[in-house]
Amino acid sequence: MKRTGFVYDDCYLRHDTGGYHPECPERLSATIKWLESSGLLPQLARLPAVRADQRWIEAVHNIHYIIRFEEACNFGLSEFEHPDNAICRETYEVAYYAVGGVLQALTAVMAGEVDNAFCAVRPPGHHAEVDKPMGFCYFNNVAIGARYLQQKHGVGRVAIIDFDVHHGNGTQHIFDQDPTVFYYSIHEHPSFAYPGTGREFEKGSGPGQGYTVNSPVLPGRGDEDYRRLMTQDMVPAVKRFDPEFIIVSAGFDAHVSDMMSGVNLSTDGYDFITEMLVNLAERCCGGRMVSVLEGGYNLDVLPLLIENHLKIMAGLR
Amino acid sequence: MFISDRMCRELITAGPDLTIGEARALMTEKGIRHLPVVDGDGKLLGIVSDRDLRDAMPSTLLKKADYEQTLARISGHPISEIMTGNPQTIYPYYTIQDCLLIIQKKKVGALPVVDDNGRLQGILSTRDLLKAFVNVMNIDEPGTLLCIVVEEQRGQLKKIVDIITEERISLGSVLVSRHWDTEKRAIFPYLLTNNVINVKKRLLEVGFKLIDPMQWHLEQLPKR
Ligand SMILES: [Zn+2]
């Protein structure tokens, strides 16, 4: 059994996307309710969400972008630069707490207070670019986390592994030329799915050449392809990179029942992915891993998938 | 949709008396594959492609001394001797669809664009044309591709577009393709959004069949 940290705060529910949007507060409220009734919650180390210091957000995002985001929320706009990106007056603040929650989890793992941690945060982050919101994302939580580990905790090499069904364009672009942050993503093929990036030939550039690996999965495919691609493409590349810390972009929208995608990953398939990541962290970096929620829109299965993910991280299964 | 805003207007041209040697140097320096030839009034006389130049070169099988001698002799000839005179031209008001058909039919790599008096206005290469199509299909913007199978009857596309509009989704492009079943069509809307759950649900509710694009591809393959 491991000590697994769990970040959640009711403030994450205050990012109101207008009632007719799949990235809704119910994603988290349903999850918390489920985890409470299943009895898992007391077995986890609850970590508080705090407001992130803006300098960490500036480690990734352009200051003008941060100000535009603040103004859009303060003006009471209902969307930020694209109808996908629904906002309310509180979104800007909530986004700081989402980043802050991730930084808390990273700190707790680095301090040895917990072995690993999961952050049930919203808004999600992996589509957010340096100066552009995209696909329901405003601040790139995992990218900021990687910079924080490097600049605050002196961690050299960070691997980000992204199993959300959509390609994490923001994360990839932020570290495109950076050989100190390895990015792996497995996602639905960009010919069919948002955002249209993440083909096999996107491998990083300049000094970052070879530090990005993408595995596109064709619609209609599922467990078998994930198993094969992660074994072939991800494991050897991560071992070669030899990370000191693994951050996971955990998206549960590849599930067969999730209408956001055409990929058919099963509940068992998700278990396999988590097992693989936990083992990889064990072998490479003493189990140091923080997993951060990205997508997952079927309210009937998301709580269960998160529960399974947590149980495997905590060594309860 | 019109080529006037898709063609290249920063023209590098030559007079008919430019030598083959000079033309080679010019095209290499500017990195171009097509050199329009014009008279003093800017009227189009012909076009020289990198292929025309290569064809005019001496064989590399010649001995070095022979090769150089022949090359020197050839290089002094004017390009008017090797250009394609009276080439296929297009007008600025042509659509990119027209040009796609012409380029396919004539098997050329570029089309000179002239005005009604035959004066050169621009040039449109296959590369410009590809860029134009990427652009009109909007596939250089983030989005999601749906595949909907519909019965071949009037008003189907309207229903689909109405639902997309009501969901406040902006439509990048729509492609319509013949289905394996002659009574049906496959419609591929490219939606500029990540948010496809609600629109998919509504399409299903009104009875459309959404299919996985890969499934469509597999079913299209000839049956053994
Ligand atoms: Zn996603």
Side-chain angles (χ1 to χ4, degrees):
Chain A
M1 162 121 192
K2 287 190 191 135
R3 284 165 306 164
T4 293
F6 182 73
V7 173
Y8 168 77
D9 193 288
D10 284 335
C11 79
Y12 297 146
L13 307 179
R14 300 210 310 261
H15 165 44
D16 179 357
T17 47
Y20 187 62
H21 194 290
E23 207 292 280
C24 56
E26 290 75 22
R27 296 175 62 226
L28 289 186
S29 51
T31 299
I32 296 306
K33 218 173 129 196
W34 177 273
L35 295 177
E36 271 167 357
S37 65
S38 78
L40 180 60
L41 222 39
Q43 304 185 55
L44 305 170
R46 289 294 292 267
L47 300 170
V50 296
R51 192 183 191 278
D53 189 322
Q54 186 173 314
R55 75 182 165 123
W56 298 118
I57 293 167
E58 284 180 46
V60 163
H61 294 284
N62 177 304
I63 181 67
H64 302 289
Y65 167 68
I66 300 173
I67 293 168
R68 280 204 322 273
F69 181 28
E70 181 178 22
E71 284 176 348
C73 295
N74 283 345
F75 276 139
L77 301 186
S78 61
E79 62 186 54
F80 181 32
E81 297 181 4
H82 189 288
D84 278 358
N85 309 317
I87 55 170
C88 65
R89 286 186 185 277
E90 302 214 55
T91 301
Y92 181 72
E93 272 309 296
V94 177
Y96 271 77
Y97 277 86
V99 173
V102 174
L103 303 189
Q104 280 293 304
L106 296 168
T107 306
V109 173
M110 288 307 293
E113 289 162 20
V114 294
D115 297 307
N116 53 29
F118 178 76
C119 308
V121 296
R122 47 188 297 279
H126 73 153
H127 293 305
E129 299 273 0
V130 169
D131 56 359
K132 193 173 158 195
M134 273 175 70
F136 324 155
C137 302
Y138 310 93
F139 291 151
N140 197 311
N141 301 321
V142 295
I144 296 166
R147 286 288 181 245
Y148 172 80
L149 281 177
Q150 294 185 320
Q151 292 169 19
K152 170 92 180 184
H153 292 279
V155 174
R157 295 177 309 282
V158 180
I160 299 177
I161 297 172
D162 184 336
F163 63 77
D164 185 278
V165 81
H166 303 102
H167 177 242
N169 57 289
T171 315
Q172 173 170 308
H173 293 150
I174 289 161
F175 301 112
D176 184 60
Q177 304 203 28
D178 189 336
T180 67
V181 178
F182 173 88
Y183 179 65
Y184 174 79
S185 179
I186 184 163
H187 46 261
E188 183 172 358
H189 196 286
S191 292
F192 309 99
Y194 187 89
T197 49
R199 290 180 157 83
E200 297 96 325
F201 57 76
E202 296 169 27
K203 293 178 173 168
S205 66
Q209 175 82 40
Y211 291 88
T212 293
V213 176
N214 283 298
S215 301
V217 177
L218 289 169
R221 309 304 290 264
D223 296 8
E224 216 180 287
D225 287 44
Y226 273 73
R227 209 175 279 260
R228 177 171 50 80
L229 292 167
M230 293 185 89
T231 312
Q232 276 175 11
D233 297 350
M234 180 189 78
V235 174
V238 173
K239 282 187 182 160
R240 216 175 310 126
F241 178 69
D242 190 26
E244 294 157 59
F245 205 108
I246 292 178
I247 302 180
V248 176
S249 269
F252 298 93
D253 41 7
H255 193 264
V256 57
S257 70
D258 199 307
M259 283 187 71
M260 199 64 104
S261 80
V263 163
N264 298 330
L265 198 58
S266 73
T267 306
D268 288 348
Y270 266 108
D271 286 354
F272 169 79
I273 292 176
T274 309
E275 280 160 16
M276 204 165 189
L277 296 180
V278 168
N279 289 337
L280 200 58
E282 209 58 65
R283 293 185 61 155
C284 294
C285 46
R288 277 194 296 274
M289 170 173 130
V290 165
S291 174
V292 181
L293 181 64
E294 300 283 358
Y297 304 97
N298 183 343
L299 299 178
D300 296 329
V301 300
L302 178 66
L304 172 71
L305 294 174
I306 291 179
E307 182 193 12
N308 293 345
H309 185 60
L310 278 163
K311 278 185 170 167
I312 295 167
M313 285 177 69
L316 293 167
R317 280 187 44 182
Chain B
M1 296 305 264
F2 298 99
I3 53 164
S4 49
D5 45 62
R6 304 290 181 180
M7 66 191 186
C8 173
R9 289 170 183 278
E10 283 130 47
L11 288 171
I12 295 149
T13 60
D17 300 329
L18 194 77
T19 65
I20 291 178
E22 287 163 342
R24 258 182 99 196
L26 179 66
M27 288 172 74
T28 313
E29 184 208 322
K30 303 287 183 186
I32 54 171
R33 288 191 281 195
H34 297 90
L35 183 64
V37 183
V38 292
D39 69 10
D41 289 334
K43 269 182 92 166
L44 182 72
L45 300 173
I47 189 163
V48 176
S49 70
D50 55 352
R51 172 79 194 271
D52 297 332
L53 282 175
R54 258 200 321 272
D55 288 350
M57 289 296 111
S59 166
T60 48
L61 296 174
L62 290 178
K63 284 203 199 78
K64 193 162 189 289
D66 287 348
Y67 178 86
E68 306 229 307
Q69 209 176 26
T70 321
L71 179 64
R73 229 178 33 235
I74 291 169
S75 294
H77 283 249
I79 48 170
S80 55
E81 290 178 18
I82 61 159
M83 72 182 185
T84 304
N86 231 338
Q88 172 72 44
T89 55
I90 51 174
Y91 297 96
Y93 49 80
Y94 274 31
T95 62
I96 57 171
Q97 290 97 314
D98 294 333
C99 299
L100 191 62
L101 288 173
I102 295 169
I103 275 190
Q104 188 206 20
K105 229 179 252 166
K106 301 284 176 181
K107 300 188 174 73
V108 291
L111 292 166
V113 186
V114 296
D115 65 13
D116 290 334
N117 302 315
R119 279 203 196 82
L120 186 67
Q121 301 291 304
I123 188 163
L124 185 86
S125 67
T126 42
R127 224 186 295 170
D128 297 326
L129 201 55
L130 285 177
K131 206 171 145 201
F133 271 92
V134 165
N135 201 258
V136 295
M137 289 170 69
N138 262 279
I139 49 180
D140 48 352
E141 274 186 58
T144 311
L145 185 72
L146 298 187
C147 175
I148 307 163
V149 178
V150 302
E151 302 287 331
E152 170 95 56
Q153 56 179 249
R154 220 196 288 221
Q156 298 283 53
L157 195 58
K158 178 184 185 307
K159 279 196 230 162
I160 294 172
V161 172
D162 282 349
I163 290 177
I164 293 169
T165 312
E166 282 158 28
E167 288 295 321
R168 295 175 57 233
I169 290 173
S170 104
L171 185 60
S173 54
V174 185
L175 295 182
V176 181
S177 171
R178 275 176 207 290
H179 196 255
W180 65 96
D181 181 340
T182 50
E183 316 272 276
K184 290 178 180 158
R185 287 291 173 94
I187 297 181
F188 295 87
Y190 184 67
L191 307 180
L192 302 182
T193 181
N194 185 17
N195 188 355
V196 289
I197 292 187
N198 294 329
V199 70
K200 275 182 170 175
K201 280 186 184 157
R202 293 212 31 212
L203 288 165
L204 292 171
E205 271 164 25
V206 300
F208 283 114
K209 193 180 163 207
L210 285 176
I211 73 168
D212 171 345
M214 276 315 289
Q215 193 61 33
W216 181 81
H217 167 74
L218 294 174
E219 289 182 24
Q220 282 278 79
L221 297 177
K223 304 265 182 310
R224 290 183 196 224

